[in-house]
Amino acid sequence: MTRRLPPLNALPAFEAAARHLNFSRAADELNLTHGAISRAVKHLEDQLGVQLFERATRSVRLTPVGEPYALAVGEALDQLALATQAATSRHSGSTLNVSTSDGFAGKWLVPRLYRFHRAHGDIDVRVSTTGKLTNFRGDGIDVAIRYGGGHYHGLTSEFLTGEEVFPVCSPRLLEGPHPLRMPEDLKHHTLIRDGYRIDWAAWLASAGVEGVDPNSGLTFDSATFAVESAVQGEGVVLGRTMLVSADLATGRLVRPFDHALKAVSSFYLVYPPEAIRQRKVKAFRDWLFSEIGPL
């Protein structure tokens, strides 16, 4: 069968320009010049004999012909990328790029990754903790572990686990001149925060504690650093189930009180629907759920 195909080398430039509706941003994504994007799009339009963009002085928009064509080209490029990854991974090792938060990576994922490597030695894992939500286009990310409500348009989102929030501290703080016995004893200790949406004010109010300043103490941008500060005996941090489970199991941290708040958000494994066909994604997904089980 003879296929009538467009100039294939122009398609990535057109797809990026259509997605961004901006030739300069498309150029940045593809590491090209603005002029190269413009020439590629014009070449594609000339070959097709149709106008794909309406150009204004400082903006572009897709024409009624260009809009469905951009959607089809994007889907075709995605399928081609997935097929390429699948073909190459059958014959050699592959790299799985995972996006997640700093806290989840440092306190849960990384300490367990050796078990994944033991079972799948030909799959390398790269963990990105930039804090920026991936769009799975142009950033090389294969799967993401996100903390939220689980609704991510156009993506597969699988519930991993919910969690609770509760104070944790070094065992040393259960002794000394002001041992932690009751929530009211927190007034004698440093409160540690990491910017999480459930803060000390919410926990103290739910526990009926008064006389403790929820805004005092230490503040970290990183949940990993906040937890480690508590491990070192610097104070008391609001621990989240997934981020303190290992330290609680080893005795580096303890729960001085039983009272806990149920978190509204949960952890989800997120990826493009077609990605599950890749062996590396399927292997990581299955391993992740097997690890979540014992928690």
Side-chain angles (χ1 to χ4, degrees):
M1 179 181 69
T2 302
R3 292 186 176 91
R4 184 193 173 196
L5 296 176
L8 300 182
N9 59 351
L11 295 183
F14 165 68
E15 190 277 334
R19 182 159 30 88
H20 291 293
L21 290 179
N22 186 291
F23 283 16
S24 294
R25 285 200 288 269
D28 290 340
E29 178 180 309
L30 299 178
N31 198 27
L32 297 172
T33 65
H34 180 284
I37 296 293
S38 181
R39 287 190 296 272
V41 171
K42 184 64 168 62
H43 178 54
L44 180 61
E45 290 177 322
D46 290 343
Q47 291 297 308
L48 296 179
V50 297
Q51 185 177 354
L52 300 173
F53 285 100
E54 292 181 1
R55 296 161 175 83
T57 303
R58 295 185 178 180
S59 64
V60 295
R61 65 179 181 178
L62 290 163
T63 65
V65 174
E67 189 168 348
Y69 191 64
L71 180 62
V73 169
E75 292 175 350
L77 290 177
D78 287 342
Q79 290 293 329
L80 183 60
L82 288 172
T84 301
Q85 291 174 344
T88 56
S89 66
R90 290 191 187 103
H91 303 289
S92 62
S94 56
T95 299
L96 178 78
N97 293 288
V98 181
S99 171
T100 189
S101 66
D102 158 86
F104 187 87
K107 302 305 295 183
W108 194 92
L109 180 61
V110 172
R112 293 167 169 79
L113 270 181
Y114 74 93
R115 290 199 283 263
F116 179 79
H117 288 144
R118 184 182 296 165
H120 304 281
D122 62 329
I123 301 177
D124 295 327
V125 178
R126 293 178 182 170
V127 180
S128 171
T129 60
T130 63
K132 180 180 178 182
L133 292 180
T134 177
N135 60 10
F136 298 99
R137 282 178 175 267
D139 55 12
I141 298 298
D142 298 300
V143 298
I145 299 169
R146 291 183 178 174
Y147 188 71
H151 305 292
Y152 305 105
H153 179 69
L155 299 172
T156 297
S157 176
E158 296 190 77
F159 174 81
L160 287 174
T161 184
E163 62 177 2
E164 292 183 325
V165 181
F166 44 83
V168 293
C169 64
S170 165
R172 298 196 298 273
L173 270 61
L174 302 183
E175 304 172 352
H178 299 290
L180 282 169
R181 297 282 186 264
M182 301 169 53
E184 289 74 13
D185 296 328
L186 287 168
K187 63 178 176 285
H188 301 296
H189 296 271
T190 299
L191 303 185
I192 303 173
R193 297 178 300 280
D194 65 0
Y196 179 60
R197 63 197 68 179
I198 296 181
D199 57 14
W200 274 110
W203 188 90
L204 291 168
S206 70
V209 178
E210 298 179 352
V212 177
D213 183 359
N215 299 313
S216 66
L218 297 172
T219 301
F220 295 90
D221 291 332
S222 164
T224 300
F225 293 160
V227 172
E228 189 60 29
S229 178
V231 168
Q232 298 303 319
E234 296 296 325
V236 187
V237 69
L238 279 179
R240 295 153 57 188
T241 308
M242 292 291 283
L243 307 190
V244 299
S245 59
D247 290 319
L248 288 172
T250 60
R252 283 167 29 106
L253 290 174
V254 295
R255 288 182 63 172
F257 323 118
D258 292 331
H259 182 66
L261 287 180
K262 179 70 175 177
V264 175
S265 298
S266 301
F267 286 98
Y268 293 85
L269 178 65
V270 183
Y271 51 86
E274 304 85 359
I276 197 64
R277 292 185 234 162
Q278 299 178 57
R279 184 178 64 86
K280 63 182 181 181
V281 172
K282 180 67 163 56
F284 184 77
R285 182 253 181 215
D286 292 347
W287 170 82
L288 192 63
F289 277 98
S290 70
E291 288 286 328
I292 290 289
L295 289 179

